[in-house]
Amino acid sequence: MAPKIPNVFFKNGASVPVLGLGTWNSPPGQVTQAVQDAISVGYRHIDCAHVYENEHEVGAGIAAKIAQGIVKREDLFVTSKLWNTYHRPDLVKGALQVTLRNLNLKYLDLYLIHWPQAYREGDELFPLRPDGKRVHFSDVDYVNTWPAMERLVDAGLVRNIGLSNFNVNQVQRILDVANIAPATNQIECHPYLQQEQLREFCQEQGITITAYSPLGSPARPWVKQDDPVLMDDPVVKKLAKKHSKSPAQILIRYQIQLDNLVIPKSVSKQRIASNADVFEFELGVDDMLRLAALERGGRICPESF
């Protein structure tokens, strides 16, 4: 049984478990079980997105655990994301309603604008130009999308709203128009890409950072044979040995001590449990500095278009 996962607070006072289960790139047919396993070992925070194309499986996992009486809906913190083809303000509510139907939920705890780029509106997730290589962008500005996100909060469909993959300038543009400030900015964050300037800016603004790919996303579809593997890094392995922990546990603990929310992904029950076993040890100041020194600007999840 994993230890109890503590909650932290957004600037608006909303409570959120510091550790969640990521579901990006989880193989179809395995997500429902992964969600059930995560809830069984104590996770209460589940991160999903329309573009992952597995929200119906996430919803089935949640429904099963609610039906078993293991959790109530209000015990859970469920996040999803508005995809790039739905930035036009009149499409935002419909996009959320599709997500709610897939998840079989009446509201979300957190809804994020997934990327600051808008794609041509329609049912294709990646609408390509005739050359088949470049995506068709839309000219919708995310600054105009934000008030539609705020209306979801007003309607009681979403408890909190936020951003994902936004840089300093893009976050500032939202803050300039926001009646409801973004609760979080979900970004790629790990020792090879620390995003220090962006993290500091968000912290100054009272925006919590959520770290995705904290383990370096070793199973990403576009990984190359000679790409560095974060969990095999000698510094990470040395710290794992020092603390009698796995490299993954060191990397998750690192994010927590940076005051970030963290959402590692796994479909293995053993690893899901192990990833949550990070609350009974602490990295020392020297450990933190050694991990910080691994910075190499290594972005794993570029928005390639």
Side-chain angles (χ1 to χ4, degrees), residues 1-299:
M1 187 73 179
K4 188 165 165 52
I5 296 169
N7 282 28
V8 293
F9 295 92
F10 288 141
K11 187 184 178 185
N12 64 10
S15 174
V16 52
V18 70
L19 177 76
L21 177 74
T23 60
W24 172 66
N25 199 29
S26 291
Q30 297 180 31
V31 184
T32 299
Q33 191 57 50
V35 168
Q36 292 194 63
D37 290 342
I39 291 172
S40 293
V41 300
Y43 285 70
R44 296 295 179 261
H45 175 179
I46 313 285
D47 181 85
C48 14
H50 176 76
V51 76
Y52 304 165
E53 298 187 275
N54 58 12
E55 289 191 323
H56 55 293
E57 289 191 52
V58 173
I62 291 171
K65 285 303 177 193
I66 290 174
Q68 289 167 22
I70 306 293
V71 284
K72 300 190 197 62
R73 167 63 184 101
E74 53 271 26
D75 299 332
L76 299 173
F77 189 97
V78 183
T79 302
S80 188
K81 308 178 192 87
L82 177 76
W83 183 238
N84 306 352
T85 50
Y86 304 109
H87 279 207
R88 213 174 67 203
D90 62 303
L91 299 178
V92 171
K93 187 176 180 184
L96 171 71
Q97 285 168 330
V98 169
T99 277
L100 289 174
R101 268 202 305 278
N102 286 336
L103 290 169
N104 195 20
L105 298 176
K106 291 189 167 61
Y107 68 90
L108 286 181
D109 298 277
L110 177 63
Y111 199 43
L112 310 176
I113 300 182
H114 203 151
W115 290 91
Q117 295 86 2
Y119 294 171
R120 186 181 66 184
E121 295 72 26
D123 292 329
E124 266 183 288
L125 293 174
F126 296 92
L128 296 180
R129 292 180 180 275
D131 64 12
K133 294 189 181 109
R134 291 172 305 147
V135 78
H136 243 304
F137 288 106
S138 159
D139 58 7
V140 177
D141 187 336
Y142 54 80
V143 162
N144 298 321
T145 310
W146 190 251
M149 297 286 283
E150 294 179 328
R151 287 194 287 277
L152 301 176
V153 179
D154 298 338
L157 295 170
V158 171
R159 299 276 165 93
N160 302 277
I161 48 176
L163 308 170
S164 183
N165 301 299
F166 276 57
N167 67 26
V168 169
N169 296 337
Q170 292 160 342
V171 174
Q172 185 60 59
R173 289 189 72 225
I174 292 288
L175 289 171
D176 290 343
V177 301
N179 293 312
I180 300 173
T184 189
N185 187 15
Q186 186 180 124
I187 58 172
E188 180 184 338
C189 193
H190 46 76
Y192 287 167
L193 183 74
Q194 316 244 353
Q195 309 243 42
E196 191 176 1
Q197 188 191 355
L198 178 55
R199 284 192 289 115
E200 282 178 5
F201 173 78
C202 287
Q203 279 167 347
E204 283 163 15
Q205 303 298 327
I207 298 169
T208 303
I209 292 291
T210 302
Y212 73 73
S213 297
L215 311 180
S217 196
R220 62 192 182 277
W222 50 84
V223 69
K224 295 190 196 71
Q225 214 171 346
D226 57 351
D227 283 348
V229 179
L230 178 59
M231 286 200 280
D232 289 345
D233 190 286
V235 171
V236 177
K237 288 173 92 166
K238 214 168 191 173
L239 289 174
K241 196 172 175 190
K242 173 182 168 183
H243 290 280
S244 305
K245 290 288 176 184
S246 69
Q249 288 168 326
I250 296 296
L251 294 167
I252 292 165
R253 181 72 206 177
Y254 181 60
Q255 294 300 330
I256 291 167
Q257 287 185 221
L258 290 175
D259 294 327
N260 297 339
L261 302 178
V262 59
I263 47 170
K265 180 224 91 179
S266 179
V267 292
S268 145
K269 185 171 186 176
Q270 187 188 350
R271 280 199 296 271
I272 288 169
S274 165
N275 287 347
D277 187 12
V278 291
F279 298 104
E280 288 171 359
F281 81 104
E282 200 160 305
L283 296 169
V285 176
D286 285 355
D287 300 338
M288 295 293 286
L289 290 171
R290 289 174 72 190
L291 289 166
L294 295 177
E295 175 66 66
R296 49 170 81 190
R299 194 176 292 277

